[in-house]
Amino acid sequence: MDSQILYLTLALLALGLALNIKLTLSVLHTTRRERDTLEALPPGAPVPLVSARALRGGVVHRLGAEGQAAALLFLSSKCPKCKTKLGEIGGMLAPAEQAGLDIWIVSHEPAWRLRQFLRGLPLTRALRVTMRDYRLLNPTLASPAYMMVNHEGVLEASGMIGDDNWLDLRAQLAETTETTAAEGAP
């Protein structure tokens, strides 16, 4: 057998072995990352403290900090169902403010995409976080989802927008609007 053919065969075998090792390590890394994925926070747990930057104004907020009660909404510009929820969320902003509840749309998407997605909503209600912090708050990356955080920074409820807890919040905010309107009527 010619020595050059033998060297070529050995080089191809070495290349194949190196590729096999690289792919095996890649699969191992992916499975470990999936295994180590955080689980959703249970109600009553403190919300992780993360920094978020307002989409408009650049103000930095500390999500999970004690202070005012908040509803953190997780929406994705790539989610058609999220797009249909924007009108409902927009209608809840003023009653929530009257009731002392901050509603924040939390995203890890680029600012330009988020601005385009939220066209028509006050961009001061949108916050951007890093992907690491987004995973701390929403480890399953679910959307359209929410977290209701009390004034002590403790998770009260979480789930998908449209579930029973969400509908209860929407009804409470509607009652607040009706009560305010009745008090203001002569």
Side-chain angles (χ1 to χ4, degrees):
M1 185 184 252
D2 189 359
S3 65
Q4 288 198 352
I5 293 176
L6 184 61
Y7 290 135
L8 180 63
T9 304
L10 287 174
L12 289 174
L13 284 173
L15 183 64
L17 178 63
L19 181 62
N20 188 353
I21 290 172
K22 180 183 181 338
L23 292 174
T24 301
L25 291 175
S26 176
V27 167
L28 181 63
H29 176 72
T30 301
T31 56
R32 281 187 178 161
R33 187 176 59 227
E34 291 296 321
R35 182 193 68 203
D36 295 338
T37 299
L38 300 172
E39 295 197 16
L41 292 173
V47 174
L49 191 61
V50 300
S51 292
R53 184 169 296 279
L55 188 59
R56 173 148 305 143
V59 178
V60 176
H61 297 273
R62 301 290 287 176
L63 299 178
E66 293 184 21
Q68 187 168 350
L72 307 179
L73 309 183
F74 303 99
L75 305 174
S76 172
S77 63
K78 298 174 185 172
C79 165
K81 191 172 184 180
C82 295
K83 187 73 171 169
T84 64
K85 299 293 182 184
L86 290 177
E88 176 184 350
I89 293 165
M92 294 172 65
L93 293 175
E97 190 174 321
Q98 290 174 350
L101 175 70
D102 276 338
I103 293 182
W104 298 106
I105 296 170
V106 180
S107 179
H108 63 86
E109 296 186 30
W112 65 268
R113 184 179 296 150
L114 195 54
R115 280 188 191 95
Q116 187 176 22
F117 174 66
L118 297 175
R119 196 171 300 144
L121 282 181
L123 296 180
T124 54
R125 296 279 102 204
L127 300 174
R128 292 186 60 236
V129 295
T130 64
M131 184 59 170
R132 182 187 151 288
D133 287 344
Y134 190 84
R135 279 188 163 286
L136 281 174
L137 296 171
N138 185 9
T140 60
L141 303 179
S143 63
Y146 68 88
M147 291 175 69
M148 294 181 197
V149 182
N150 69 17
H151 65 283
E152 296 174 338
V154 175
L155 180 65
E156 291 289 325
S158 64
M160 300 301 286
I161 292 177
D163 70 8
D164 290 340
N165 287 328
W166 178 261
L167 295 175
D168 288 344
L169 173 65
R170 194 173 69 184
Q172 289 172 6
L173 293 177
E175 287 176 17
T176 302
T177 303
E178 290 169 7
T179 303
T180 305
E183 289 173 357

